[in-house]
């Protein structure tokens, strides 16, 4: 979580208490936080006042072209010679719900191109309808953002939004937007199956083979969460430890991919040259079946990485210590919890990395 998002979440969770803390601690405006008083009172206006619109546009450009930030509407600042502008007092926004609608309507027209990921949250509202509004402006995937009013490109410098120097603008234009590929573990399923099923064949050397075993299935998918096309997507997945010699990890349904031979237990996939994943698109790499026997004598570890050309790779890992694995397999076989609870335990406690479950 970025610093800007952390501030925004704090305002959501703690409400006006967070504002009181800002004032008590003389919180200064900084790289990720701006305090503003709202000029729009609604008495003589039916839309956002030009001064508020100007401040909003500069902030969207400055924060969006930098690392993101938050505007907190309804706080008065005072000048501190050592630290700059600090929170001084609460000056509530008149009719904060109406002000929110004005801000929402103005966002798309404040910059070129428009920043479509700006979010707003009413921090608190009193019985008169007055209150405070937080506007969260994440870093833009489509930089640079230019204000429509002054045709200027801003960046965040200290506690101010400053016009960007030519060299900075040139660098921003030269940096093409990059795709962002996220891992999804979807189509999740868990079963306790009988030993007669063909999925599991214990060797004849076992005198008393277990009557049941556990099968966990899911699909490894890639999601393009950026605004540009992703090319040459890849997935590498390796079984480091399977939990014991009677456990298995199977990869299947990856016929549409180019498979690169690797060591035993490792899967290397890359999309074919003509495949492109559009923004918000989802691609299915393969299906994974994890077969778990009650005979556990080692940890279970799967490691992998997912990415695409010109993206930052995302790592993921499934790790279950052998004692927890024994307990988990026994719990599934005895049906102590529902399938949903057992799947949540597996994917929430034992799976780590940059991913989401669907």
């Amino acid at each position: 979580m970025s610093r800007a998002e952390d501030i925004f979440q704090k305002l959501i969770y703690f409400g006006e208490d967070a504002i009181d803390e800002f004032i008590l601690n003389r919180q200064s405006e900084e790289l990720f936080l701006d305090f503003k008083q709202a000029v729009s009172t609604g008495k003589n206006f039916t839309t956002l006042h030009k001064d508020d619109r100007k401040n909003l546009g500069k902030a969207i450009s400055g924060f969006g072209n930098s690392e993101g930030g938050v505007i907190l509407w309804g706080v008065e600042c005072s000048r501190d010679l050592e630290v700059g502008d600090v929170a001084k007092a609460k000056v509530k926004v008149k009719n904060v719900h109406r002000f929110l609608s004005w801000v929402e309507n103005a966002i798309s027209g404040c910059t070129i191109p428009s920043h479509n990921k700006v979010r707003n949250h009413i921090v608190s509202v009193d019985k008169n309808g007055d209150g405070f509004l937080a506007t969260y402006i994440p870093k833009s995937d489509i930089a640079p953002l230019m204000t429509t009013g002054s045709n200027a490109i801003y960046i965040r410098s200290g506690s101010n939004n400053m016009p960007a120097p030519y060299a900075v603008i040139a660098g921003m234009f030269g940096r093409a937007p990059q795709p962002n590929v996220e891992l999804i573990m979807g189509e999740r399923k868990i079963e306790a199956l009988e030993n007669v099923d063909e999925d599991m064949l214990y060797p004849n050397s076992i005198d008393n083979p277990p009557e049941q075993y556990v099968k966990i299935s899911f699909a490894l998918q890639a999601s393009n969460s950026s605004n540009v096309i992703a090319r040459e997507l890849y997935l590498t997945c390796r079984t480091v430890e399977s939990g014991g010699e009677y456990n298995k990890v199977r990869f299947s349904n990856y016929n549409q991919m180019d498979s690169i031979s690797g060591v035993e237990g490792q899967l290397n996939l890359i999309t074919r040259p003509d495949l492109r994943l559009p923004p918000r698109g989802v691609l299915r790499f393969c299906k994974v079946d994890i077969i778990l026997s009650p005979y556990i004598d080692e940890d279970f570890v799967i490691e992998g990485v997912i990415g695409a050309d010109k993206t930052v790779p995302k790592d993921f890992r499934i790790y279950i210590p052998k004692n927890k694995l024994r307990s988990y397999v026994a719990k599934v076989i005895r049906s102590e919890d529902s399938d949903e609870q057992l799947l949540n335990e597996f994917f929430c406690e034992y799976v780590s990395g940059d991913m989401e479950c669907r």
Side-chain angles (χ1 to χ4, degrees), residues 83-117:
V83 297
D85 293 332
V86 298
K88 176 184 178 183
K90 294 185 286 187
V91 183
K92 292 183 179 181
V93 177
K94 297 294 183 182
N95 196 337
V96 68
H97 283 97
R98 180 176 56 194
F99 183 77
L100 167 63
S101 69
W102 288 345
V103 170
E104 294 276 11
N105 289 334
I107 288 171
S108 62
C110 281
T111 60
I112 301 174
S114 61
H115 194 339
N116 60 3
K117 294 187 178 180

Side-chain angles (χ1 to χ4, degrees), residues 43 55 93 151 167 172 182 208 219 252-253 354:
K43 293 182 179 180
N55 287 331
V93 177
N151 293 330
M172 294 172 74
E182 304 285 352
N208 296 302
S252 60
N253 298 345
D354 300 308

Side-chain angles (χ1 to χ4, degrees), residues 1 9 20 85 92 106 111 134 146 187 249 270 277 288 297:
M1 182 181 296
Q9 291 298 326
D20 292 334
D85 293 332
K92 292 183 179 181
T111 60
M146 180 180 70
E187 305 174 25
V249 178
I270 189 167
L277 187 62
V288 182
D297 55 19

